[in-house]
Amino acid sequence: MSENLVLFDAHAHYDDERFAEEFPGGTDGVIAHVHENGVCGIINIGASVRSSRTSLALAERYDFIYAAVGIHPGDAQRIPLGNDEGAIAEIEAMAAHPKAVAIGEIGLDYHYDGTDRERQAWFFERQLCLSEKLDMPVIIHDRDAHGDCFDMLKRHPDAYGVFHSFSGSAEMARQLVDMGWYISFSGPVTYKNAAKVKEACAIVPEDRILVETDAPYLPPVPHRGKLNHSGYLHYTAEVVAELRNVTPEEIAAVTIANTRRLFRITE
Ligand SMILES: [Zn+2]
């Protein structure tokens, strides 16, 4: 139905090697494809010092791509001990780039065994402080760590931004919205067993909701198991619209406006 819905993908990883290896035409091929199919903007997300650098390189090459620079909790654990301050300094330097629009993705991820929670928390907090110092929005990655993420944000009331690929409850969404946060929904909102996320999606105020792919991860129904890209974002937007009793075009318009407002992107 809405193949040509115009959308802004608030979270994607086009620096991921899977695009270069698996998509016809590689990274440039997939970016051209999604842009031709109605994607008017993309925030490409850094997860490490290296991928923050490649995010900026993509943003330099394409006028409709913007970059977030930051260290993901999973990647934080791979930084050699003693290089912590150096890594934060590199993120700060990259954040000054004119196409860097956010610090992210940062946060806590307790999904895997052997998680170094202290080290994750250190990087999370240092990057939150950086966002406050630079007055930039942050992109939060919170996987199985809702309570600790919440506590951290309560200690940093000046930080603002978005919870990406939201997986919490409606109650948590409501609290975050009250604290000024935006909430972003991705492929899982289309999954049959995602009752909790669907419920949260229905109650987020119109001026606080974003949509994203998290490509190449989390493909929406009916493309589960495939390489995800922004050309599939309309499936997510259609489900979001249905849950909120509005048209896909209305969701497209409000999420574009919200993404531009949060990341201070002017046309
Ligand atoms: Zn991501």
Side-chain angles (χ1 to χ4, degrees):
M1 81 199 222
S2 302
E3 287 282 340
N4 291 314
L5 208 55
V6 176
L7 290 163
F8 200 126
D9 189 346
H11 192 116
H13 300 271
Y14 282 106
D15 53 295
D16 194 285
E17 282 157 18
R18 286 184 63 195
F19 290 114
E21 288 161 7
E22 296 173 35
F23 200 90
T27 307
D28 291 314
V30 70
I31 291 170
H33 171 78
V34 304
H35 195 48
E36 279 160 21
N37 283 279
V39 175
C40 66
I42 295 166
I43 313 281
N44 203 81
I45 309 295
S48 61
V49 169
R50 187 164 157 251
S51 71
S52 296
R53 220 174 267 137
T54 47
S55 281
L56 283 175
L58 280 176
E60 283 173 355
R61 285 227 308 281
Y62 295 97
D63 59 356
F64 57 93
I65 297 184
Y66 302 84
V69 296
I71 298 164
H72 182 287
D75 288 73
Q77 303 190 142
R78 288 193 278 274
I79 294 173
L81 284 170
N83 288 10
D84 307 19
E85 294 290 352
I88 297 292
E90 284 200 66
I91 296 298
E92 179 165 7
M94 285 189 274
H97 190 286
K99 290 206 78 183
V101 295
I103 303 295
E105 56 189 294
I106 65 173
L108 301 171
D109 190 326
Y110 296 168
H111 186 70
Y112 301 101
D113 292 336
T115 300
D116 186 343
R117 295 188 178 194
E118 262 175 57
R119 205 156 157 76
Q120 287 194 2
W122 188 88
F123 275 95
F124 186 16
E125 187 145 40
R126 283 304 301 269
Q127 293 178 98
L128 274 179
C129 292
L130 186 57
S131 79
E132 289 170 315
K133 176 178 162 191
L134 303 174
D135 187 24
M136 284 175 88
V138 296
I139 295 160
I140 304 281
H141 172 100
D142 162 19
R143 193 172 187 196
D144 302 342
H146 300 330
D148 285 354
C149 265
F150 222 90
D151 290 344
M152 180 73 86
L153 296 179
K154 279 192 193 139
R155 294 206 300 274
H156 291 272
D158 290 338
Y160 63 95
V162 58
F163 265 62
H164 110 85
S165 199
F166 188 70
S167 61
S169 63
E171 180 51 32
M172 182 180 174
R174 205 170 274 125
Q175 281 178 279
L176 287 170
V177 163
D178 287 345
M179 288 160 69
W181 290 83
Y182 287 73
I183 311 284
S184 182
F185 293 92
S186 59
V189 79
T190 69
Y191 301 171
K192 264 208 177 74
N193 61 358
K196 199 177 70 167
V197 177
K198 287 179 197 285
E199 215 178 285
C201 180
I203 63 96
V204 174
E206 188 182 271
D207 62 346
R208 295 295 186 78
I209 190 167
L210 306 184
V211 289
E212 61 167 80
T213 56
D214 203 13
Y217 313 106
L218 306 177
V221 171
H223 292 294
R224 288 189 80 171
K226 291 197 206 151
L227 183 70
N228 193 16
H229 59 69
S230 313
Y232 295 158
L233 184 55
H234 67 95
Y235 293 106
T236 297
E238 283 159 11
V239 169
V240 168
E242 201 182 306
L243 289 165
R244 300 167 63 86
N245 285 315
V246 297
T247 65
E249 288 73 18
E250 285 173 272
I251 276 300
V254 300
T255 54
I256 289 173
N258 293 343
T259 305
R260 291 206 170 120
R261 184 187 327 110
L262 174 60
F263 297 112
R264 297 185 192 127
I265 293 168
T266 48
E267 273 176 279

